[in-house]
Amino acid sequence: MEFWAQQTLNGLVLGSVYGLYGLGFGLVLANLKVFHVAHAGVFTWGAIFAWLLTAQFGAPLWAALPVAAVLAGLINVIAYFLFVRQLLKRRHTQLAAFISSLGALMVLEEVASKILGGMVERIPREAYPVQSLQVGSLQFNTLDITIVVLTVSLMLILAWLVHRTEWGREVRAVAFNRDVAALLGTNVDKVSVGLFFLSGALGGVSAVLVAMAFNVISSHLGGTYL
């Protein structure tokens, strides 16, 4: 019983990371019908930004995390304009966007490899001191708590954005029919930019958490989770 309880807890922590990763990936897939595999590269860059901010500039993790999320979101927006936007009105959009996004993934991974020098890097432990905790036979630490709480919080915020705001209604309208939404006055391009930014930011957050939890940052980090 103790073994299963511990494994359940470990699964919740790891599942939280996959949850954030999947939320970002699913936003684009559900709303633009684009299999945006470059999300894996954006994820990798979220971890790289966190490493640069903590290891190179000495920033604590609480300060590096939101900055890395914003930068990852901006990279995803750039990927949208360069690799996806011009394909949305073509025939066979899904296939064309998938191939283009795959090219974006290769570019992001290659640049990441150059930045990392082909090495595996690690975020300094002092960026977020981790304390071990134990409740009965269950063993966990403060980073595990941070991962689960942050994931649940972001999921609730995203649910509120999509279902309770004007922007969320526009997102759902674009997901239902992009052309009809445009005819009804929705700025579909603006909605798409917002979706890609939010998708990248969520990927960036999950990447930072992965980088801290497993202490491994490589140019192919995002591909592992994809």
Side-chain angles (χ1 to χ4, degrees), residues 1-12 137-138:
M1 191 64 182
E2 293 178 357
F3 171 81
W4 292 111
Q6 185 66 56
Q7 292 307 309
T8 299
L9 179 61
N10 295 341
L12 283 173
S137 61
L138 292 179

Side-chain angles (χ1 to χ4, degrees), residues 35-133:
F35 200 76
H36 185 50
V37 291
H39 186 74
V42 175
F43 178 93
T44 297
W45 272 95
I48 292 176
F49 286 134
W51 167 69
L52 289 171
L53 290 166
T54 55
Q56 306 299 319
F57 296 100
L61 188 68
W62 63 265
L65 191 148
V67 176
V70 169
L71 293 175
L74 291 176
I75 283 186
N76 213 29
V77 169
I78 293 172
Y80 166 72
F81 280 110
L82 294 181
F83 298 96
V84 177
R85 181 173 179 262
Q86 67 273 21
L87 302 175
L88 292 178
K89 293 185 178 181
R90 289 184 53 176
R91 293 180 59 192
H92 309 299
T93 296
Q94 290 87 349
L95 180 59
F98 168 73
I99 295 172
S100 185
S101 182
L102 185 60
L105 172 60
M106 294 177 181
V107 171
L108 289 171
E109 287 187 343
E110 184 62 27
V111 176
S113 181
K114 297 297 183 183
I115 294 294
L116 296 173
M119 305 293 289
V120 173
E121 297 293 349
R122 307 180 190 282
I123 291 180
R125 286 295 184 184
E126 57 269 21
Y128 186 79
V130 177
Q131 296 183 357
S132 297
L133 303 170

Side-chain angles (χ1 to χ4, degrees), residues 128-134 140-145:
Y128 186 79
V130 177
Q131 296 183 357
S132 297
L133 303 170
Q134 185 166 348
F140 54 98
N141 56 49
T142 50
L143 182 59
D144 295 335
I145 296 174

